Amino acid sequence: MPETRSSASEKAGLPAGELVHVGEVHHAESSITLLDYDKDDLHVHHISSVRDLLPYKSSNTVSWVIIEGLADMALFRELGEVFDIHPLVLEDIVNTHQRPKMDEYEDYLYMVLKRLEVSDTEFAVEYEQLSLLLFDNMLFTFKEKRDDLFVTVMTRLRAEKGRLRTQSTDYLAYVVLDTIVDGYFALQDSLDAFTDDIEENLFERPGPELLNRIQQAKRELIFVRKSLSPLREMLAALERSDSTLLSEKTHIYLRDVYDHAIRVIESVDSYRDLITGMLEIYLSSVSNRLNEIMKVLTVFSTIFIPLTFITGIYGMNFQDMPELKWPWSYPILWLVFISIPAILLIYFRKRKWL
Amino acid sequence: MPETRSSASEKAGLPAGELVHVGEVHHAESSITLLDYDKDDLHVHHISSVRDLLPYKSSNTVSWVIIEGLADMALFRELGEVFDIHPLVLEDIVNTHQRPKMDEYEDYLYMVLKRLEVSDTEFAVEYEQLSLLLFDNMLFTFKEKRDDLFVTVMTRLRAEKGRLRTQSTDYLAYVVLDTIVDGYFALQDSLDAFTDDIEENLFERPGPELLNRIQQAKRELIFVRKSLSPLREMLAALERSDSTLLSEKTHIYLRDVYDHAIRVIESVDSYRDLITGMLEIYLSSVSNRLNEIMKVLTVFSTIFIPLTFITGIYGMNFQDMPELKWPWSYPILWLVFISIPAILLIYFRKRKWL
Amino acid sequence: MPETRSSASEKAGLPAGELVHVGEVHHAESSITLLDYDKDDLHVHHISSVRDLLPYKSSNTVSWVIIEGLADMALFRELGEVFDIHPLVLEDIVNTHQRPKMDEYEDYLYMVLKRLEVSDTEFAVEYEQLSLLLFDNMLFTFKEKRDDLFVTVMTRLRAEKGRLRTQSTDYLAYVVLDTIVDGYFALQDSLDAFTDDIEENLFERPGPELLNRIQQAKRELIFVRKSLSPLREMLAALERSDSTLLSEKTHIYLRDVYDHAIRVIESVDSYRDLITGMLEIYLSSVSNRLNEIMKVLTVFSTIFIPLTFITGIYGMNFQDMPELKWPWSYPILWLVFISIPAILLIYFRKRKWL
Amino acid sequence: MPETRSSASEKAGLPAGELVHVGEVHHAESSITLLDYDKDDLHVHHISSVRDLLPYKSSNTVSWVIIEGLADMALFRELGEVFDIHPLVLEDIVNTHQRPKMDEYEDYLYMVLKRLEVSDTEFAVEYEQLSLLLFDNMLFTFKEKRDDLFVTVMTRLRAEKGRLRTQSTDYLAYVVLDTIVDGYFALQDSLDAFTDDIEENLFERPGPELLNRIQQAKRELIFVRKSLSPLREMLAALERSDSTLLSEKTHIYLRDVYDHAIRVIESVDSYRDLITGMLEIYLSSVSNRLNEIMKVLTVFSTIFIPLTFITGIYGMNFQDMPELKWPWSYPILWLVFISIPAILLIYFRKRKWL
Amino acid sequence: MPETRSSASEKAGLPAGELVHVGEVHHAESSITLLDYDKDDLHVHHISSVRDLLPYKSSNTVSWVIIEGLADMALFRELGEVFDIHPLVLEDIVNTHQRPKMDEYEDYLYMVLKRLEVSDTEFAVEYEQLSLLLFDNMLFTFKEKRDDLFVTVMTRLRAEKGRLRTQSTDYLAYVVLDTIVDGYFALQDSLDAFTDDIEENLFERPGPELLNRIQQAKRELIFVRKSLSPLREMLAALERSDSTLLSEKTHIYLRDVYDHAIRVIESVDSYRDLITGMLEIYLSSVSNRLNEIMKVLTVFSTIFIPLTFITGIYGMNFQDMPELKWPWSYPILWLVFISIPAILLIYFRKRKWL
C-alpha cells in the first residue's frame, strides 16, 4: 500500500514547529543506538536520554546515532533543543509523508528519502521513511521501524580492517544512502519477475485474475515512481552542494549513488511502459478471443439455420405437398443437407474464418 | 464544479482598472475584520470604513486585515486610493478567475491562490479565491466567503505565549499560505478514499454508474490540477524573491510551504494516472464480461442447433423415410443426442471456454 | 474551419519581399481610419492615400491607424516606402497564415496574433489575423475584415475624461492586445457550454451524432491551441523586451495580458484533456450497452433453444416412441418447460446478468 | 517510403573519411552547374572537372555551384582536396541518411536538410537530401536528383533588375533554404486535403480501406516529423550564429525561414494529433455499428425464438394433448403470436433499441 | 532478453570498491590483448599478467589494451593498483548493469556503453557492456565476450598506410566509439524489416501470432531505448569536455559520433511510435472483422428465423387449421418464403451491410 494511504491531512492546521507524528505508529517508544568509532576503536551504546549524546558532539570520533521509532515527541523536542535543530526539520522527520529532499542548514544537512521493500509472493511495496542529519562529526539516522537494514553496515564497521572505519562522517552518510538505494535493485528484480509472469500469461490465460494483477502493478508503480523520482533532484543537489560537510572525495561516491538512483528510476519508467503496453495487448488478446468465439457461433448457426428451415418446410401438415409423395424426395434432401454445409464451409475457408 | 464554469468573459471589453466583480456573489456587503497585535497585546476590530485602517499603516504593530466578500466595489476603490494599490491588483482581487501567482510591487507583494474544499459524500470540489497583500507591517487577506478557514490561526494569535505573536508580518503571511496549502491535504485524503472506492468496484460491479464516477473524478482532477499546478511556480518565485518584505528566516518557512505544495501537486498527478489506468482496466473488464456472455451463448447454441436440426429431419412428413420404421432408430438417435453435446463439450473444454 | 485550411503554399517560390496577399479576400479595397488624439482633442479621419499619414509621423499626438482589408497590394507597397518598413514585415502582414510572434526592429515593434470568434449555435471557430506596428507615437493595426472589434476602445477614446486619452502609444497597443485576448474568454465560455452539453449526453444518448460532435470539438481545439500557444512566448518576449518604445508603466499592463493569455491557454489544454477523456468514456459506454444487448439475446436464446429442441424430439415421426403414448408425458413435459427456464434464470441472476 | 528504409548500416565499420555513397543511386554521374554573377553579369557554366571551379574561389563575384547526383566518389574526393573540406563533411554529403543540422567550420558553414515532396494522388512522401556549403563568396548545393527545384531561383537570378543579383552569397544561401522550406507548405496542403478526405469517410464508410489510409498517414507523419523537427534546432543555430559568413541583414531573413519552419512543424504536429484522434473516433464508430447490428439480431431473435418454441409444442405428436382438439386453440395462438412481439417491441422501444 | 533481466540487486549491501562481477559469466578467465603501435610499427601481444602492461604506460607509442571477460576479479584488483584506478570505476566495469555514462577523473576518462546485436531471424536484442578507459597514451577497452567487434579496426591498424596509425590515443577511442555506434545502424535496419513485416500482416492476417510479435517488438524497444537514450547525454558531455586528453581535432569527430547516436535514438523513437500506432490499427482491424462476422450471422439469422417460425406454425397438429386444407396454401407459402428474404436483403443492402 502506498504511503499516501494514511491520512496526509492529519497535521493540517497546526502551527509549524508543533511536533506531531504523522503516519503509522510502529513503536510507542523510540530506541536510540549510538556507534562511536575511529580507526582504532568502536563502541556501541544504547542511549536512554538525548542528553547523553551531548559529549559526542565535540569529540574527534565519528558518532552514528540511529533512532528507531518516530512516535516519541518528547525525545524529538529535546533533540531539537540540544542540537539546535530547526523546528521544521524536526517536523519533517516525524511526519512520514515527506517527499525525498535535501535541505542545507548552517550546521547540518538534512536528507529524507524512502526505503522500499517488496514482499516475495505478491508485488506489494512497503515504504519506510528514513531521515539523515549530517553534522560535522555526527550522523543521525531516523527510521520508522526496527529492522535489519543497517546490519551489513554495522558488520563492516565492526571489521577492524574495514576501510569504513578510517573514513569521515560524510562517507558514513554515503554508505547509508548507498544501502538504501541498493535496496531498490531488489525492487527492480521483483518487478522484473512480476512482469515476466504477467507476460507469460498474457496470451495463455487472459482473464479477470490477470487483469487484477496488471492493475495492481500499475498502481504500485505509480506510487513507487512518486517515491523515487524526486531522488534524481535530491541526489543531484547533494552532489553539486558546496557544503563544507562534504569532502571532495565523497562527492565521487555521491555521484555513484546518483547513477544508481537514475538507473532504478529509468527501470521503473521502463516497467511502467511495459505494463501499459501489456494492457493494450491484453485488450487486443481478449478481442481476438471474442472473434474466435463469434466465428464458431456464426459457422454453426449459418450452417444449421437454413437446414432446420428446410426440415421445417417438410414438417408442415398441408394436404397438398406433392414432394412428400415423390420417392426420391428424401434422398435428394439428404444431398441438399450435405451440399449446403459444404458450400458454406468453402466460403468460410475462403474468408479465412476456419 | 470548476471555477471556470462561471462566465470567464464577463469583464471582457472593459478598461483595465475598471473594477467589476467577476464570479459568484456570496455576500452583497464586504465585512472587514482587523487583528492588530504585538507581543503584548491583541485587539480585534470590526471596521466599517477603509479610512479607519489608515492609522495602522504606520504603527509598529502587526495589522492583519481580513476582508470577506468581494462584491462591494466602492470599498475596493477606496482601498486602492488609501493604500495606493495598483488598479490591476484591485481588478485581480475582485475577479475570481485568477490563476495562482505572485506579483512584486514597490511597497507590497500581491499573492493570489485558491482554497479547495471537498464535500464528504461526493467528490465535488469547491473553489474559493484568496488574495494576500503583504505590506511592511500590514497584511490584507481577501476572501470570497465568510467561513472558519482562519479560526485556528486566530486561536493561535489569541494564545498569549504563542510564538506567532512575536513574529513579523511576513511570518503571518506564511501562516496564512500554510493554512491554505494544508487544506489541500484534506483533498488528497478525499481523493484517496474516492479512488479506493472506484477500484474496489472495478472488478466487482463494472457498469454505467461506476463509469459515471470515473468520469466525474477525471473531470474534477483536470480542474484541481489547473488550480494547483501554478502554485509550483508562484511559491518558487516567492521563495527566490529578494524583496525586503520577506526576512531571511521566513524564507525557510516558505520553502516548507513550497515542499508541501509540490507533494500535493505530485499526488494529484499520481491520482490522475491512477484514474486513467482504471478506465483502461474498466474497458478490459467489460470486454472480459462480454466474452463470458458470448461463450455461454455460443456453447448453448452450438450444442442445441445441430440437435434441433436432427429432430427436424425426423419430423418431416415424407412417405418414404425408411428410418422411421426401424425399431432401433429412436434409441440410436438418443445416443446421438447425448454424444454430440459430449464431443462439443470436450472440444470447448480443450479451447478453455469452460 | 481552421485557418490553415486555405492554401499555405500559395506564396511558395516567390522572392522575399514580393508582396502577395495569402488568405481569403474579404474586401477588395483596404479602408484606412486614423484616430489622432491627445488629452484635449480627438480627430477621426478616413484616409484615402498613405501619403496623407506622413504628417502624423512626427506630430506630438498619438495616432492610431486602423487598416481593414489586406488585399490591396499597392497600399502596402506604398506604406513600406513611406514608413520604411522591412519587406518581410509587410509580407507577414498580408499573409494570413502567421504564427503569433513579436519582432523588434530599430524603429518599431511588429506583433501579429489571431482573433478567435465562435458562432453561437455550433462550436465552429473563425480566425482573423491582426497585426500591430508600434512606432514611437503611431500605432498601426491591420485587420482582415471590417467589424466592431474596436468599437469599445473607440468609445473609451471618445470619452473626454477617459484615462486612455492621457496615455502614450504603447498603452494604446496594450489596450488593443487586451481587447483581442479578452475575446478569447468568450471562446472559453463557449467551450465550457459545448463540453457540458456533450457530457450530459454521454451516458444518455451515446451515438454517432455525439461522436461527430466530439470529433468536431477535438479538431477545433487542436487548431485553437495552435493559434494560441505561441502567445505565451510572444507576450513573454514583449514583457521582457527592453525596447524604448515600451515604458516601464506599460510593462505592468503587458504582464496582465500575459497572465490572461496563460489562463486561456491552460483552459484550452484542460478542455482538450476533458474531451479526450470523454471519448474514452464514450467507448466504455458503448461497450456497456453492447453487453446489455448481448445479455438479453443470450438469456432469451439459452432459455428457448433447449426447450425448442425438446419439442423437436417429440415432433419426430418414429413409429416406436413409447413416450408418445404415455398419458402423463405431456404434463410432465410442461413441468420441464417451466423448470429449465427457472433454473437458468436463477443461474443468470447468480452471475449478475439480470 | 521513409528515407530510413534504405540500409542505414551500409557504411558501418568503415573508417571516417572513407567516402561511400549511402542511399539510392539516382545518377551514376554527378553533373556540375556553375552560376557566376554580380550586379551586372550572370554566366552559367556546365563544369566537367572540379579543378575548373578553383578560379572562382577568389573572384569577387558570387559563385553558385549546383552538384546533382551523389554517387561519383572521385568527384567528392577531388572537391575535398581542392576546397579543403573536412572528410566528415564530405562523408555526410554523400550519405543520404543525415539528420538536418548545421556545422560551423573555419572557412565555411555546412548545412544539410531534406526536401519533401508528395505525389498528388496518394499521400506518399519522397525525400531528397540537400547539402549546402557556404564559403565567403561561393555556395555549393548538393542534390540527389536532377529536378526543377531551383528553376524559380534561377529565373529570378536571370532577371537583370532582380534584387537577388545585388546581394551577397549568404543571401543566396537564404534563398535556397527558403525555397526548400516553402516546399513544405505544399506538403502541408496535401496533408490537409488527405485528412479532410479521411474525416469525411469516418462516419460514412468506416472500413478496412479507411483504416489502411489512416495507418499510411500515421506512418508518413512519423517520418516527416523526424525529418522536419531537427530543423527547429538547426535554423535557430543558424540564426544565432556569429559567423562572419552571415551578414547582419541576412539574419533577419533567416529568422523568417525559422518562423516558416516552426509553422510547418507545428502543423505536422497538429495533423498527427488529428489523425490519432481519428483512429479513436474510428474505433468508436465501428463499435457503434456493431451495436446497431447486434440490436437487429437481438430484436429478431428474441421475438421469433419464443414463438418458434410455441409452434414446436403443438407440433409434438403426443396422444394426449387436449389443446389440439379444442376448436379455439388455433385462433387463440394467433393472438399469442401477435401479442408477444408487440410486448417485446414496446419493451425494446422503451430501452431505446429501436 | 533485456540486460536488466539478470539480477540487478546481486551486489546490493556490499561496500563500494568491493569488486564483484554482476551479470552473465561468459568466460571464467579474462584474456588481455595489447596492440602497441606508432606510425612505423605495430606489435600485438597476448598478455598474461597486468604487470606486463606497466612499461607501456610511459612509452611514446599508442597502446590499446583489450580485455575480454569480466569475471576474473584478481585481474581487476591488480589493474586498479597498477594504474591507480578509482575503486568505483573498477566496480562499474565489472558490473554489467551500467547506464551509458562518461566520468572524468584526473588521469583518465571512463566511458561505458552498450553494444547491441540482433539475431537475424527473430527480433531479439543481445546486449554487451563495453567500458573504455582513456589514459594519455593508453586505451583500455573492456568487453564481456570474445567476438569480432574490433576486427575491422584491427585490420585498419594493420594497414601500414592507414591514417589511424598516425593518430593519437583519443582518436583511437573515437574509432572504438564509432564502431559501437555504427553497430546500432544494423539494429535500425533490423527494426525496419521487422516493422515492415508486421505492417504487411496487419490487414492480412491479424491474429494472436502477430500480436505476440508486436508485444515482442514493444518490449525490445523499451529496453533498447533505455540502453541508448543516455548516450545523448554521455556523448554531449564528451564533446563538451575540456579534458586535455581530448585534442581539438578529435572533438569534431566526437560530434560526428554524437550526430550518429542522435539519429539512431530518434529512429528508435519513431519505431516506437510506429509500433504503438500499429497496435491501435490492429485493434481496429480486429473490430472490423468482428463486425464482418456479426453481419453474416445477423443476415442469416434474421432471414431464416422468421421463415422457420412460419414452418413451425403449419407443422402444428391442431385439428382445426383451415389453411392446411386449402389447395393454394403451400404455393402461397413458397411465395412468402421467397419474398421475406428478398425484402430483408434489400433492407440490409440499404444499410450497407452487404
Side-chain angles (χ1 to χ4, degrees), chain A residues 165-222:
Chain A
R165 283 270 286 279
T166 65
Q167 309 283 327
S168 58
T169 326
D170 56 340
Y171 189 84
L172 180 64
Y174 149 71
V175 170
V176 168
L177 289 174
D178 193 46
T179 304
I180 299 165
V181 171
D182 270 3
Y184 302 151
F185 288 118
L187 175 94
Q188 188 181 325
D189 288 349
S190 168
L191 251 171
D192 201 34
F194 197 77
T195 48
D196 264 15
D197 193 47
I198 290 175
E199 198 170 22
E200 254 169 54
N201 287 308
L202 205 55
F203 297 96
E204 298 296 309
R205 270 180 295 274
E209 201 257 351
L210 185 65
L211 200 54
N212 203 345
R213 299 184 72 190
I214 291 178
Q215 164 67 359
Q216 189 195 344
K218 285 197 82 160
R219 195 193 48 216
E220 287 297 345
L221 279 174
I222 286 171

Side-chain angles (χ1 to χ4, degrees), chain C residues 234-295:
Chain C
M234 169 203 166
L235 290 169
L238 199 61
E239 201 199 318
R240 275 196 318 268
S241 163
D242 53 3
S243 164
T244 54
L245 291 164
L246 301 171
S247 70
E248 185 57 41
K249 227 178 78 186
T250 304
H251 274 285
I252 294 177
Y253 288 93
L254 290 174
R255 190 169 65 181
D256 194 58
V257 177
Y258 176 75
D259 284 344
H260 288 189
I262 298 286
R263 265 167 57 193
V264 172
I265 292 166
E266 291 189 348
S267 279
V268 168
D269 284 346
S270 295
Y271 285 111
R272 271 189 92 190
D273 286 357
L274 209 59
I275 292 282
T276 302
M278 280 177 189
L279 197 55
E280 287 165 5
I281 295 283
Y282 178 89
L283 201 54
S284 298
S285 193
V286 166
S287 292
N288 269 337
R289 297 201 133 218
L290 185 60
N291 267 10
E292 287 308 304
I293 293 167
M294 293 314 298
K295 274 182 201 168

